[in-house]
Amino acid sequence: MIKCLIWDLDETLWHGTLADDEEVSLRPGIRDVLEQLDGRGILQSIASRNNHDLAMAKLEELGISRYFLYSQIGWGTKAEGIRRIASELNIGLDAVAFIDDNPFERYEAGTYLPELTIYGAHEALELAGYPEFQAGKLTREAGKRREMMLSRQKRTTAEKQFAGTREDFLRSCFMELEVRAAREEELDRAFELAARTNQFNNFTERVSEDVVRSYLESPAKGLYVAELRDRFGDHGIVGAAMLDYEVERLDIRLFCISCRIEGRGIGTAFLGTVLKLAQREHPAMLEAVCSYRATGRNRPALILLQLLGFTRKEKREHDSIYALPLPFSYGAPDWITVKTGHFKQAKEGRTLRMNREEIERKVTSIVAQLLGKAEVEPSARLLGPQGVLDSVTVVRLIAWLEQEFQVAFDEEDLTIESLSSIDRIVSFIEESGCLPRGAYSGLNN
């Protein structure tokens, strides 16, 4: 997938050579290509041997200067200019394309930058139809990607001009990160992040849209997203994480964080908060695990795991398993305000009070997870001579119930008889006037 297209100017973007004749004209159809790619979230820039001021004035005159970021216009090599653009945008050269009419320039760029995708100028009007320029479903973030990169550029400029410490500068950005269960309308963005992110991605596994949707709909899975705002604007959804809830283990199937927000602590704040929320919903978990497959470009994802306290538990042929003991305690850096949104149950429109049938279904599911079974009969005996739970497991059950239903088991409630069956537990919870975890709009740090 191409994330950035870099244009040559003379006889590529426009007809004519600017140094010979300032009356160059935009090639017919080029404006439509610029608009289409920009609307898909594909960034665009320029690498051209030209007088910088004259070329920028011409782009402004033609009404297209706004489409180009970090343009490299001068008399240096185009290969070096392309490398600099990719570095400024923080994207790999394998996601960058270059279009030029001159075969020498194409050959030189390809020789020094073999990962680069290169096109001749005669292909310009066909680019939008090529599969590598198909961005899938248009998300809000894709349509605003150029604006978001301009915000990033403003932030970088402001940081260079800031006289205080880096921590003071980050505090002055007033970053607000909202971490929540994904909504239906955010599935496309979660899929886009999984497909596009190469650096902050533990597996760089290209999952299908159906797989991403399953993490929203299945009660045994979780899909979390992070939305970022700061003084420079609304950055939209910048992170996604897919979790599998097992009996005693939380498996982070995939996490991906936009490279646009690197270097601010957003990655650890997001994943650390996700782990906190998952623990609160599933307090019986004893361990969080995450597979990591090294690609050479996703080392930031490994560092992120290590910053959170994950250590390598198992090395396999193609990847490694990193683990973190639970319970886990995390606090975000003081320059990030973390807010947590609705839990899954609230998002699905549950009422504040749960009826008996809902409570029974939830308690039965919890008992089944503790036993590692697909299902448990509601009539099953939990404690006593024929009980299926031992004392240690019952303690974990009580902790889980207290977290899940916001109830408290006092000493007089902890009797074999009161905990002997699902039916008796359901009665206790019902009488306690429980509030399901989904009733809470947020849990702030």
Side-chain angles (χ1 to χ4, degrees):
M1 178 183 294
I2 300 301
K3 297 183 180 180
C4 176
L5 174 63
I6 300 175
W7 294 82
D8 169 51
L9 294 177
D10 297 332
E11 299 297 351
T12 301
L13 193 73
W14 56 50
H15 283 309
T17 302
L18 189 63
D20 297 334
D21 182 2
E22 294 185 18
E23 297 303 316
V24 297
S25 60
L26 195 63
R27 289 177 60 193
I30 290 294
R31 192 182 304 273
D32 289 340
V33 175
L34 296 175
E35 291 177 355
Q36 286 184 60
L37 298 183
D38 183 68
R40 296 175 189 176
I42 296 170
L43 304 174
Q44 297 175 85
S45 188
I46 293 169
S48 172
R49 295 180 191 273
N50 254 302
N51 177 284
H52 178 273
D53 294 343
L54 189 61
M56 292 304 296
K58 180 57 66 174
L59 290 167
E60 189 71 33
E61 178 188 320
L62 294 171
I64 57 174
S65 61
R66 66 184 183 278
Y67 291 114
F68 305 108
L69 302 171
Y70 298 107
S71 294
Q72 303 297 307
I73 303 174
W75 304 110
T77 68
K78 293 185 181 180
E80 186 55 38
I82 292 167
R83 194 193 306 275
R84 191 173 297 117
I85 292 167
S87 176
E88 292 285 1
L89 294 173
N90 194 28
I91 57 179
L93 285 165
D94 59 346
V96 176
F98 174 55
I99 182 168
D100 196 305
D101 69 301
N102 190 316
F104 171 82
E105 300 287 4
R106 298 197 301 267
Y107 176 75
E108 182 182 44
T111 299
Y112 286 103
L113 309 171
E115 311 100 314
L116 194 65
T117 301
I118 300 175
Y119 305 100
H122 64 281
E123 298 178 85
L125 302 186
E126 302 171 13
L127 292 179
Y130 288 177
E132 58 267 37
F133 289 95
Q134 305 304 314
K137 295 179 182 178
L138 181 63
T139 64
R140 177 173 69 100
E141 288 76 10
K144 296 174 61 178
R145 187 160 288 123
R146 173 168 50 86
E147 295 176 31
M148 292 175 180
M149 290 305 301
L150 286 172
S151 294
R152 178 176 177 270
Q153 191 173 356
K154 290 178 183 177
R155 178 181 63 82
T156 302
T157 301
E159 184 175 1
K160 290 177 180 177
Q161 297 172 345
F162 192 79
T165 66
R166 175 163 174 77
E167 288 77 12
D168 288 339
F169 170 74
L170 292 172
R171 292 186 190 99
S172 76
C173 292
F174 304 109
M175 287 179 273
E176 183 179 290
L177 187 72
E178 183 178 359
V179 181
R180 62 173 183 271
R183 302 164 181 155
E184 175 75 24
E185 63 270 21
E186 292 162 344
L187 278 174
D188 289 341
R189 175 56 177 163
F191 173 69
E192 182 182 45
L193 277 169
R196 291 176 61 93
T197 307
N198 292 313
Q199 296 182 55
F200 287 95
N201 186 319
N202 62 303
F203 224 49
T204 60
E205 178 183 358
R206 302 316 183 196
V207 295
S208 69
E209 293 182 68
D210 288 341
V211 168
V212 176
R213 176 173 290 280
S214 73
Y215 278 80
L216 179 72
E217 297 177 344
S218 171
K221 300 175 184 289
L223 176 61
Y224 286 90
V225 295
E227 186 167 6
L228 176 66
R229 300 175 187 85
D230 61 20
R231 59 180 284 198
F232 302 102
D234 182 351
H235 301 271
I237 303 292
V238 297
M242 297 160 51
L243 312 181
D244 287 314
Y245 304 125
E246 300 177 9
V247 178
E248 296 182 347
R249 192 172 79 163
L250 173 67
D251 190 344
I252 304 173
R253 163 78 181 277
L254 185 69
F255 72 84
C256 40
I257 300 156
S258 172
C259 61
R260 289 186 288 106
I261 48 89
E262 82 290 345
R264 288 183 261 176
I266 297 297
T268 50
F270 169 49
L271 199 56
T273 304
V274 165
L275 288 168
K276 286 177 62 176
L277 295 180
Q279 282 181 124
R280 290 174 181 178
E281 292 190 45
H282 301 273
M285 298 291 183
L286 301 178
E287 181 183 53
V289 298
C290 183
S291 297
Y292 171 76
R293 178 176 295 170
T295 66
R297 290 183 54 195
N298 68 340
R299 287 179 178 171
L302 175 58
I303 300 301
L304 188 156
L305 288 172
Q306 293 174 336
L307 286 172
L308 289 172
F310 282 83
T311 57
R312 190 162 69 182
K313 179 179 182 180
E314 179 185 354
K315 181 173 176 57
R316 303 188 298 199
E317 182 178 359
H318 300 295
D319 62 326
S320 296
I321 302 296
Y322 283 77
L324 175 71
L326 299 178
F328 162 81
S329 178
Y330 174 76
D334 65 3
W335 58 79
I336 302 173
T337 299
V338 178
K339 296 184 176 181
T340 53
H342 295 292
F343 284 87
K344 196 167 185 179
Q345 292 92 334
K347 180 174 65 62
E348 292 169 350
R350 294 284 185 92
T351 58
L352 284 179
R353 302 293 174 184
M354 299 180 76
N355 60 42
R356 185 178 182 87
E357 182 181 347
E358 289 178 303
I359 297 171
E360 181 178 292
R361 184 164 56 248
K362 189 66 178 177
V363 173
T364 303
S365 173
I366 291 172
V367 172
Q369 290 185 63
L370 284 172
L371 293 173
K373 296 183 177 180
E375 58 182 25
V376 173
E377 289 297 325
S379 59
R381 182 81 176 177
L382 302 184
L383 280 182
Q386 281 78 43
V388 295
L389 302 180
D390 58 36
S391 59
V392 175
T393 309
V394 167
V395 170
R396 290 172 52 208
L397 171 62
I398 292 168
W400 193 334
L401 294 172
E402 289 181 328
Q403 288 283 336
E404 185 66 40
F405 296 103
Q406 299 298 296
V407 296
F409 285 83
D410 295 328
E411 184 174 349
E412 59 268 24
D413 303 314
L414 301 179
T415 66
I416 292 179
E417 187 60 29
S418 64
L419 297 170
S420 63
S421 67
I422 289 175
D423 183 67
R424 287 189 174 274
I425 291 174
V426 170
S427 294
F428 170 78
I429 294 172
E430 190 176 34
E431 291 167 5
S432 299
C434 73
L435 288 173
R437 294 204 57 79
Y440 293 88
S441 61
L443 289 171
N444 291 324
N445 291 321

